[in-house]
């Protein structure tokens, strides 16, 4: 396994843990030495989660899983099937990636994470971090339309002006480490 800067494409063979960003502040993409090589993979048919594919996933001692994956295919027309991702633990396809991300965070000794989210990723992160015992901070823009609910941060309900102020502070910190905007924290560019 090795890493590639999502922006410069520089290769990193040995990365300090916990893994964060490249030396220019961009996300690192994971690459495997076996990519592009034909080979059989072992699938654990008794495991009804994403982790049934553990033979091609990073090796860890403790898997953080809430039962994600193994979602059913539903036929919509004679030649059209869709995956029903709403049966994942938080109702989102984001659970697959979050199970892997939080498992690796825990394996690297991470005690606290943060991420910007407009909904599904934040809900998924909160659920998986709770299972892992990792503190989770989710930030969202005050410009996102509210749906009859208030944003809760560290078990404290925030009013619109408090949320706007918090987001501005996060944006300032993010700009110290990324450019051109904080969106780079959650999107590989």
């Amino acid at each position: 396994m090795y890493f590639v800067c999502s922006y410069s494409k520089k290769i990193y063979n040995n990365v300090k843990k916990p893994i964060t960003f490249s030396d220019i502040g961009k996300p690192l993409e994971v690459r495997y030495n076996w990519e592009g090589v034909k080979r059989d993979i072992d699938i654990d048919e008794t495991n009804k989660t994403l982790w049934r594919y553990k033979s091609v996933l990073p090796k860890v001692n403790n898997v953080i899983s809430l039962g994600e994956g193994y979602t059913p295919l539903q036929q919509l027309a004679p030649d059209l099937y869709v995956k029903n991702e709403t049966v994942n633990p938080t109702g989102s396809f984001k659970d697959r990636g979050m199970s892997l991300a939080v498992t690796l965070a825990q394996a690297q000794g991470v005690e606290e994470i943060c991420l910007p989210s407009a909904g599904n990723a934040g809900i998924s992160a909160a659920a998986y971090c709770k299972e892992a015992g990792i503190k989770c901070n989710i930030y969202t823009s005050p410009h996102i339309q509210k749906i009859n609910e208030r944003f809760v941060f560290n078990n404290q309900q925030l009013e619109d002006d408090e949320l706007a102020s918090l987001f501005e502070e996060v944006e300032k910190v993010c700009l110290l480490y990324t450019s051109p905007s904080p969106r780079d924290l959650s999107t590989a560019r």
Side-chain angles (χ1 to χ4, degrees):
M1 181 169 64
Y2 60 98
F3 301 88
V4 177
C5 174
S6 61
Y7 184 78
S8 71
K9 304 304 179 199
K10 178 180 175 181
I11 294 174
Y12 296 81
N13 288 306
N14 296 310
V15 179
K16 183 179 149 194
K17 298 209 170 47
I19 298 167
T20 56
F21 298 106
S22 70
D23 54 3
I24 60 170
K26 297 294 182 182
L28 293 171
E29 298 171 354
V30 178
R31 295 286 186 258
Y32 296 94
N33 296 324
W34 49 259
E35 287 181 29
V37 176
K38 286 189 176 188
R39 68 183 205 132
D40 290 330
I41 63 169
D42 296 322
I43 300 173
D44 180 357
E45 296 292 341
T46 64
N47 188 339
K48 304 300 183 197
T49 74
L50 161 78
W51 294 92
R52 68 183 173 277
Y53 302 110
K54 66 182 174 188
S55 68
V56 293
L57 295 174
K59 306 297 181 238
V60 293
N61 293 328
N62 185 38
V63 169
I64 306 302
S65 177
L66 299 173
E68 65 292 323
Y70 212 74
T71 55
L73 276 174
Q74 294 183 323
Q75 188 172 11
L76 297 182
D79 293 325
L80 179 62
Y81 291 82
V82 296
K83 290 285 275 178
N84 181 358
E85 296 293 327
T86 64
V87 299
N88 274 315
T90 71
S92 171
F93 74 95
K94 300 278 187 176
D95 292 346
R96 296 172 191 269
M98 205 57 71
S99 173
L100 189 58
V102 173
T103 293
L104 291 176
Q106 186 187 60
Q108 295 174 36
V110 172
E111 297 175 357
E112 183 173 1
I113 69 162
C114 68
L115 70 149
S117 175
N120 287 343
I123 293 167
S124 185
Y128 283 89
C129 283
K130 180 179 180 188
E131 182 71 14
I134 295 174
K135 184 177 178 184
C136 181
N137 300 290
I138 303 160
Y139 302 98
T140 188
S141 169
H143 307 294
I144 294 173
Q145 185 176 10
K146 305 226 180 342
I147 308 172
N148 296 327
E149 59 185 282
R150 309 306 281 163
F151 190 77
V152 176
F153 173 71
N154 287 347
N155 299 321
Q156 183 178 15
Q157 183 173 311
L158 299 180
E159 298 302 324
D160 289 347
D161 59 336
E162 294 171 308
L163 183 55
S165 175
L166 176 63
F167 189 74
E168 287 172 14
E169 289 302 309
V170 170
E171 196 169 35
K172 288 176 192 172
V173 171
C174 292
L175 288 172
L176 294 174
Y177 298 100
T178 63
S179 65
S181 74
R183 288 185 301 250
D184 288 346
L185 291 175
S186 62
T187 305
R189 294 179 186 259

